């Protein structure tokens, strides 16, 4: 059986419009998830820089937590990632 080699993006466009590489992603030790860091992880997964599984493993996230970030961006933009306004955006 031939093993399929998955091509990986070298960079993606980050939430601020600039190129984002693996080296630019938040540190693995990140404990404080500000809007920018969450948005960078979502952009990396969407752009193919990381797989969902790699992102969850790298940052000790649950799939549900990551998907909630992605959904918040889709529904409300970056402001939807603001932890202090979660209740405002849930309905």
């Amino acid at each position: 059986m031939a093993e399929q080699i998955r091509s990986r993006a070298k960079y993606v466009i980050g939430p601020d419009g600039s190129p984002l590489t693996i080296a630019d992603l938040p540190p693995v030790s990140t404990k404080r998830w500000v809007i920018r860091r969450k948005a960078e992880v979502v952009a990396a997964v969407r752009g193919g820089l990381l797989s969902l599984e790699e992102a969850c493993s790298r940052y000790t996230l649950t799939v549900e937590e990551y998907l909630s970030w992605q959904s918040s961006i889709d529904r409300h933009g970056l402001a939807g990632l603001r932890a202090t306004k979660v209740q405002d955006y849930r309905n």
Side-chain angles (χ1 to χ4, degrees), residues 10-28:
K10 301 244 189 255
Y11 71 93
V12 297
I13 301 302
D16 65 354
S18 64
L20 183 67
T21 66
I22 290 283
D24 300 320
L25 290 175
V28 173

Side-chain angles (χ1 to χ4, degrees), residues 9-50:
K10 301 244 189 255
Y11 71 93
V12 297
I13 301 302
D16 65 354
S18 64
L20 183 67
T21 66
I22 290 283
D24 300 320
L25 290 175
V28 173
S29 60
T30 298
K31 299 286 183 232
R32 186 166 177 266
W33 285 99
V34 296
I35 293 170
R36 178 186 50 83
R37 291 180 186 145
K38 292 176 185 178
E40 287 173 345
V41 173
V42 171
V45 171
R46 284 185 166 169
L49 201 55
L50 290 175

Side-chain angles (χ1 to χ4, degrees), residues 22-75:
I22 290 283
D24 300 320
L25 290 175
V28 173
S29 60
T30 298
K31 299 286 183 232
R32 186 166 177 266
W33 285 99
V34 296
I35 293 170
R36 178 186 50 83
R37 291 180 186 145
K38 292 176 185 178
E40 287 173 345
V41 173
V42 171
V45 171
R46 284 185 166 169
L49 201 55
L50 290 175
S51 70
L52 173 59
E53 295 79 18
E54 289 168 330
C56 289
S57 174
R58 179 179 174 120
Y59 296 113
T60 320
L61 302 171
T62 63
V63 172
E64 292 78 16
E65 186 173 17
Y66 169 82
L67 292 175
S68 74
W69 294 355
Q70 186 171 285
S71 176
S72 292
I73 289 174
D74 291 344
R75 289 184 178 162

Side-chain angles (χ1 to χ4, degrees), residues 35 71-73 75-91:
I35 293 170
S71 176
S72 292
I73 289 174
R75 289 184 178 162
H76 308 288
L78 294 180
L81 294 173
R82 181 172 285 141
T84 58
K85 295 291 185 180
V86 161
Q87 292 303 319
D88 293 343
Y89 295 116
R90 284 212 170 142
N91 296 325

